[in-house]
Amino acid sequence: MRRGQEQIRHQIIAAARARFLKIGYGKTTMSELAEDCDISPAHLYNFFSGKLDLAVAITEEESRYRRAELAKILADDKSAQNILPAYFSRELILNVEALEAHPGMQGLIDLVRRKRPLVAEGLHRRLLKDLSLYLNKRIQAKDVKSGDPFHLAEYLHQATYAFRQPGFLASHSAEDLLALNAGVLDLLLSGIQKK
């Protein structure tokens, strides 16, 4: 049975993800990935021009998963007081789970940030856009003070930045992180909520 182009592309990304996270980005060759996918190296280059493009594809896949998980929380039409703590707690838990399951993922994300900063910025902006759309609804509902919802989303993400850093995540228990995150969010929410 012939494999379709999309199926081959997904297989290449899965093989790269497995090798990059297990063996390492620097120790993986395109020839090994082609062999893993039972295609020629030349055919592999029809899909990806190099390992960095594969790292970008893996990072985009991870970002889509996180956005989908967080979008489930933002889909609820409850007040910011209820949704924002749930949103940032879920984001924290996703980061803890990712660090535990795939410690090498942060290295790939950092690589894409360094080598393809516009891609990394685009992924970050999509996440902020989702949150800003929710915040805009809450501004319209007069639950949150008026202002630029995108800047407010950026402000909230900057204030909780430490909770997404591997060193910080690795040095604290999940319970401690959730408590710290909740404390920061309580302060933030008191500043953005309408009285």
Side-chain angles (χ1 to χ4, degrees):
M1 181 167 96
R2 283 181 49 102
R3 294 179 289 175
Q5 299 297 312
E6 196 60 30
Q7 186 180 12
I8 294 171
R9 185 179 189 285
H10 287 300
Q11 187 178 12
I12 294 168
I13 293 171
R17 182 184 179 106
R19 280 193 177 267
F20 290 172
L21 296 180
K22 190 174 188 178
I23 297 166
Y25 176 86
K27 294 180 180 178
T28 300
T29 67
M30 293 294 275
S31 294
E32 290 169 331
L33 293 172
E35 188 177 311
D36 290 350
C37 297
D38 199 26
I39 59 175
S40 70
H43 192 51
L44 175 62
Y45 284 101
N46 288 329
F47 293 91
F48 297 97
S49 63
K51 292 191 308 184
L52 185 55
D53 286 341
L54 282 161
V56 166
I58 293 165
T59 302
E60 288 173 338
E61 202 173 74
E62 183 72 14
S63 178
R64 272 191 302 278
Y65 167 73
R66 286 174 185 235
R67 280 183 65 209
E69 287 294 307
L70 294 170
K72 293 174 189 173
I73 294 168
L74 296 177
D76 199 329
D77 203 28
K78 292 181 182 171
S79 72
Q81 181 73 30
N82 294 318
I83 296 300
L84 292 177
Y87 176 91
F88 284 102
S89 293
R90 181 67 181 134
E91 185 179 40
L92 189 149
I93 294 299
L94 287 169
N95 288 327
V96 169
E97 290 172 352
L99 185 63
E100 289 173 354
H102 306 291
M105 183 60 77
Q106 188 61 46
L108 275 183
I109 292 168
D110 291 342
L111 174 75
V112 170
R113 236 183 242 134
R114 279 192 322 276
K115 302 278 186 171
R116 299 269 174 88
L118 292 177
V119 169
E121 180 63 22
L123 295 175
H124 179 66
R125 286 194 169 278
R126 280 183 226 144
L127 188 67
L128 290 178
K129 180 183 175 191
D130 295 344
L131 182 56
S132 70
L133 290 172
Y134 167 78
L135 289 168
N136 190 52
K137 282 195 284 187
R138 299 320 309 162
I139 290 168
Q140 300 304 316
K142 304 204 182 308
D143 179 34
V144 171
K145 290 179 184 175
S146 293
D148 182 333
F150 190 83
H151 286 175
L152 182 54
E154 200 167 34
Y155 168 73
L156 291 168
H157 261 266
Q158 286 298 323
T160 58
Y161 178 76
F163 302 109
R164 290 186 293 283
Q165 299 312 300
F168 195 78
L169 292 170
S171 64
H172 294 78
S173 72
E175 294 81 26
D176 288 346
L177 289 169
L178 287 168
L180 289 168
N181 192 38
V184 168
L185 285 169
D186 281 347
L187 286 171
L188 293 171
L189 287 171
S190 68
I192 67 168
Q193 287 183 304
K194 280 209 160 189
K195 302 284 185 218

